[in-house]
Amino acid sequence: MSRRARPVLALGVAGLTLSLAACGSGSGAADDSSSGGKVKVGLITKTDTNPYFVKMKQGAEQAAKSADVELTTAAGKFDGDNAGQITALENMVAAGVKGVLITPNDSKAIVPAIAKARAKGVLVIALDTPPEPQSAVDALFATDNVKAGELIGAYAKAAMGGKPVKIATLDLAPGVSVGVQRHDGFVKGFGIDASDPSIVCSQDTGGDQAKGQTAMETCLQKAPDVNLVYAINEPAALGAYTAIKAKGRENDVMIVAIDGGCAGVAAVKEGKIAATSQQYPLKMAADGVKAVVEYAKSGKKDTGYTDTGVKLITDEPQTGAESEDTGFGTQNCWG
Amino acid sequence: MTTSAPLAVRADGPAALRRLLSSPSAGPLAALILASVFFSTATDQFLSGGNFSLILQQVMVVGTLAIGQTLIILTAGIDLSCGAVMAFGGILIAKLAVEGPLPPLLAIALGILACAGFGLVNGVLVRVVPLPPFIVTLGMLNVAFALTHIYSEEQTVTGLPGPLTVLGRTFPLGRTDVTYGSLVTVALFLGFAYALSSTAWGKHVYALGNSAESARLSGIRVSRLTVGVYTIAGLVYGIAALLLVSRTGVGDPQAGQTDNLDSITAVVLGGTSLFGGRGTVLGTLVGVLVVGVFRNGLQLMGVSSVYQTLVTGVLVILAVTVDQLSRKGTR
């Protein structure tokens, strides 16, 4: 019965939306950032839940507070969510931000939306992950992922001391630049080429602990004599440790990782992971906010690539591989 | 028969008002109005020139998916595969046009037809085998997801020819800019609203959702109708795929991963019953706009995105509660 009334109701809705649209066009150009007073800065991360991005957000918040600017944050719904980031970017531009810091979920797919924002005079800085091409943004503040890989590659080479190695690599996912760069860096740092026969197993983990464990179990099945594990990040490394421990091999398999999260540094301290390359998301975001503030003040845009640094963290240093201990790692960790 | 409805409403005002208030769309409509008023006062930019068209532009993809989802939920079904099917359609359109290479219009047509094909298979499995819609579309979600990633080789497709992005472009209307794509979405909503409320096909869809057995006994060709609804829904997802491609300007294999749940959210918020047979597509439009307005408004206020998720979750639970209570009331 009541279904009949609904089309009428619905017409009312249509009318409302039209009138809203009409009101909208009437009130004119209030989207000027000058009307708000405080400078507005936006931060768009890959997801809300990953501790890495939580730390990044914290860095942005601290910097925004000390510079007395207004920070808005948003994130994709899942790793890879491009449409969600586009929506957030558009809303921030509509809110009148002076600059946006973004960690692209999809390096290529975000480019047209960034171009639109920049066309409206918004400074866009990529954090952590560069867009493709990198020139799509004004500037990039990120870890040198190749270098991060090289550090642990060189460390592993020194620590293995010329013993024959059987390497398992626990990678990220096909085609994701961060994963590819870290993997290539590790291989280069170890002093072999990508097709070297000492790499006996390579599996994708998505950087996930459970998948890291599954991947390592598979690798141990395929090549029981694995004695060195490279992991894309510490969750994958810890998953691998669980699998290795289940086989009773924890004392003769060395694991190296990248990221420098607090749980990861703790795992280095406990000896589960031999070494990790630590990156600094808090610094990326803080520097990003400062760059936007500078742009708002002087109109000067930061350009090009700024390396936000990476350090090797281990409690068993090797000659020829410069490192910091887990005390330093804990002080500067994220998560 | 249907022409008498508006007349009856006009004839007795209080009864019409009561009916309006007891309609499942009343709650979400009130939420939409209240939210709009709230955000208008809380931020300078909510009522500014381009913002409303921006919201419309942001919800057009999920909104279009939600039209197909509404049709299926009206038949007491559910479609978990819509986002994945759309992603496949999008990558197909983009890749055929860029690497095919096919004339863009042919690529678009093939992409939309492929989506309709997924719908057809869903419909056949649901009705002819028959299998529960939840299971069929859960399976199809994985099939479409995998095919998208296999076909795209995990690569985003860029450099799309002009005709693929034309629906993402804007034209000035007064002081605001409107995308062509949002006009397509609005036209689809109005078209399906008409088809559901004023055609025999629409009546049959409601009858099927209320009771498939009664519908069959009263002479409705239930199998053909069910398969048809799923196929049409697939076709609509294909149009959503084109809108997605034109909005983002790329073919994106990662697209649409939460859009199945977002479309169900919109349908539920719009007052359509998950048990079938009750609801309207214009209610769904309200549902879509509620989500879009909250997301936009909270963002303009500088509120973190987790709160958008929180608000959406609370609204969904409220909407289902209203649906349940109003069902009890009518019995």
Side-chain angles (χ1 to χ4, degrees):
Chain A
M1 277 298 276
S2 67
R3 195 183 304 142
R4 277 195 202 157
R6 263 171 251 156
V8 178
L9 170 72
L11 277 179
V13 176
L16 167 86
T17 54
L18 284 176
S19 63
L20 260 180
C23 291
S25 55
S27 73
D31 49 358
D32 220 329
S33 61
S34 58
S35 63
K38 272 192 190 181
V39 170
K40 289 180 180 172
V41 184
L43 170 70
I44 303 170
T45 51
K46 290 189 183 181
T47 64
D48 266 330
T49 44
N50 184 328
Y52 183 80
F53 298 120
V54 173
K55 195 68 179 185
M56 195 179 264
K57 199 162 136 182
Q58 205 179 315
E61 276 161 0
Q62 286 168 5
K65 205 172 171 190
S66 66
D68 195 31
V69 295
E70 192 180 325
L71 179 76
T72 311
T73 62
K77 283 186 192 161
F78 54 89
D79 222 315
D81 177 16
N82 184 55
Q85 289 195 323
I86 291 180
T87 300
L89 182 58
E90 289 169 345
N91 286 343
M92 285 177 181
V93 173
V97 290
K98 199 74 195 168
V100 172
L101 317 172
I102 184 166
T103 307
N105 262 327
D106 185 316
S107 300
K108 283 183 193 162
I110 194 70
V111 169
I114 289 177
K116 274 191 204 166
R118 288 181 68 192
K120 292 192 175 163
V122 174
L123 178 74
V124 180
I125 295 174
L127 302 183
D128 179 74
T129 311
E132 285 175 54
Q134 198 181 307
S135 59
V137 285
D138 290 293
L140 167 70
F141 293 1
T143 304
D144 182 343
N145 279 300
V146 176
K147 191 178 168 201
E150 280 178 28
L151 287 179
I152 53 164
Y155 174 87
K157 180 78 183 174
M160 294 308 276
K163 257 196 307 182
V165 283
K166 299 278 182 190
I167 303 170
T169 69
L170 303 184
D171 298 308
L172 190 58
V176 182
S177 58
V178 175
V180 174
Q181 289 165 358
R182 288 181 181 183
H183 179 105
D184 292 351
F186 168 79
V187 168
K188 191 176 161 203
F190 201 84
I192 52 179
D193 66 59
S195 57
D196 195 280
S198 64
I199 301 175
V200 291
C201 185
S202 288
Q203 297 265 315
D204 288 329
T205 65
D208 177 86
Q209 179 154 354
K211 286 185 191 141
Q213 184 178 342
T214 308
M216 194 64 224
E217 286 161 358
T218 311
C219 276
L220 286 171
Q221 202 65 35
K222 187 179 166 194
D225 52 351
V226 164
N227 57 6
L228 174 61
V229 177
Y230 151 83
I232 175 74
N233 66 1
E234 290 125 11
L238 287 170
Y241 180 80
T242 308
I244 289 164
K245 191 157 189 263
K247 291 268 182 194
R249 301 269 323 274
E250 69 269 27
N251 292 324
D252 55 290
V253 181
M254 186 168 85
I255 306 174
V256 290
I258 297 177
D259 249 5
C262 294
V265 173
V268 173
K269 199 171 181 179
E270 290 162 27
K272 293 177 179 170
I273 300 173
T276 191
S277 284
Q278 186 168 50
Q279 49 174 348
Y280 301 99
L282 192 140
K283 183 168 157 46
M284 288 173 202
D287 289 357
V289 170
K290 282 178 203 152
V292 176
V293 172
E294 178 61 33
Y295 171 57
K297 259 193 219 155
S298 67
K300 196 179 140 288
K301 288 185 177 181
D302 225 300
T303 54
Y305 167 59
T306 304
D307 183 351
T308 51
V310 60
K311 286 213 164 69
L312 184 68
I313 305 294
T314 183
D315 283 338
E316 287 167 38
Q318 300 291 331
T319 46
E322 195 185 314
S323 64
E324 300 284 346
D325 66 9
T326 53
F328 175 89
T330 310
Q331 263 175 23
N332 293 284
C333 70
W334 49 270
Chain B
M1 194 175 158
T2 46
T3 50
S4 69
L7 286 176
V9 169
R10 230 174 286 153
D12 50 359
L17 187 66
R18 216 176 304 136
R19 223 181 286 164
L20 185 80
L21 289 176
S22 68
S23 152
S25 302
L29 187 58
L32 180 61
I33 295 168
L34 289 176
S36 302
V37 170
F38 173 71
F39 289 125
S40 307
T41 52
T43 74
D44 295 339
Q45 301 91 356
F46 188 79
L47 280 182
S48 77
N51 197 45
F52 190 79
S53 77
L54 183 61
I55 294 173
L56 207 56
Q57 177 189 338
Q58 289 173 345
V59 301
M60 71 183 182
V61 172
V62 169
T64 304
L65 285 180
I67 293 173
Q69 186 73 258
T70 309
L71 295 178
I72 289 175
I73 289 179
L74 282 177
T75 70
I78 191 125
D79 192 349
L80 299 178
S81 70
C82 59
V85 167
M86 173 188 70
F88 182 76
I91 209 81
L92 196 62
I93 291 172
K95 224 176 156 175
L96 286 177
V98 173
E99 292 171 22
L102 294 180
L105 289 182
L106 189 58
I108 291 169
L110 285 176
I112 293 177
L113 280 180
C115 292
F118 276 102
L120 178 70
V121 176
N122 275 338
V124 168
L125 293 171
V126 163
R127 184 60 212 181
V128 183
V129 177
L131 299 169
F134 187 93
I135 302 301
V136 169
T137 58
L138 179 64
M140 197 57 78
L141 158 70
N142 288 302
V143 171
F145 178 87
L147 289 179
T148 303
H149 286 255
I150 293 166
Y151 180 65
S152 69
E153 295 166 340
E154 322 281 347
Q155 296 297 310
T156 305
V157 184
T158 54
L160 304 184
L164 260 55
T165 55
V166 74
L167 291 176
R169 290 188 205 142
T170 56
F171 65 90
L173 184 75
R175 286 205 210 164
T176 178
D177 292 314
V178 178
T179 51
Y180 293 102
S182 36
L183 294 186
V184 171
T185 304
V186 170
L188 282 173
F189 269 106
L190 294 177
F192 277 99
Y194 173 80
L196 281 172
S197 64
S198 309
T199 67
W201 176 79
K203 300 259 175 283
H204 291 174
V205 170
Y206 283 109
L208 175 63
N210 278 318
S211 164
E213 186 57 14
S214 320
R216 192 183 64 80
L217 290 174
S218 58
I220 295 172
R221 298 169 73 174
V222 168
S223 293
R224 211 170 77 170
L225 181 65
T226 308
V227 174
V229 165
Y230 279 86
T231 308
I232 291 169
L235 197 75
V236 174
Y237 303 154
I239 298 172
L242 175 61
L243 291 173
L244 174 78
V245 167
S246 59
R247 171 165 156 72
T248 58
V250 292
D252 174 11
Q254 306 275 0
Q257 287 190 25
T258 61
D259 286 3
N260 52 356
L261 297 181
D262 291 349
S263 71
I264 294 170
T265 300
V267 173
V268 171
L269 278 181
T272 293
S273 168
L274 279 175
F275 306 101
R278 279 160 45 106
T280 62
V281 284
L282 291 176
T284 298
L285 179 58
V286 177
V288 169
L289 288 174
V290 167
V291 176
V293 160
F294 269 101
R295 189 172 50 198
N296 174 272
L298 291 174
Q299 193 74 69
L300 291 180
M301 286 176 70
V303 177
S304 164
S305 54
V306 277
Y307 290 93
Q308 299 162 24
T309 312
L310 179 73
V311 168
T312 311
V314 170
L315 288 176
V316 165
I317 293 169
L318 282 177
V320 181
T321 311
V322 170
D323 178 41
Q324 278 296 353
L325 293 179
S326 74
R327 286 175 150 253
K328 265 185 203 151
T330 53
R331 266 171 207 164

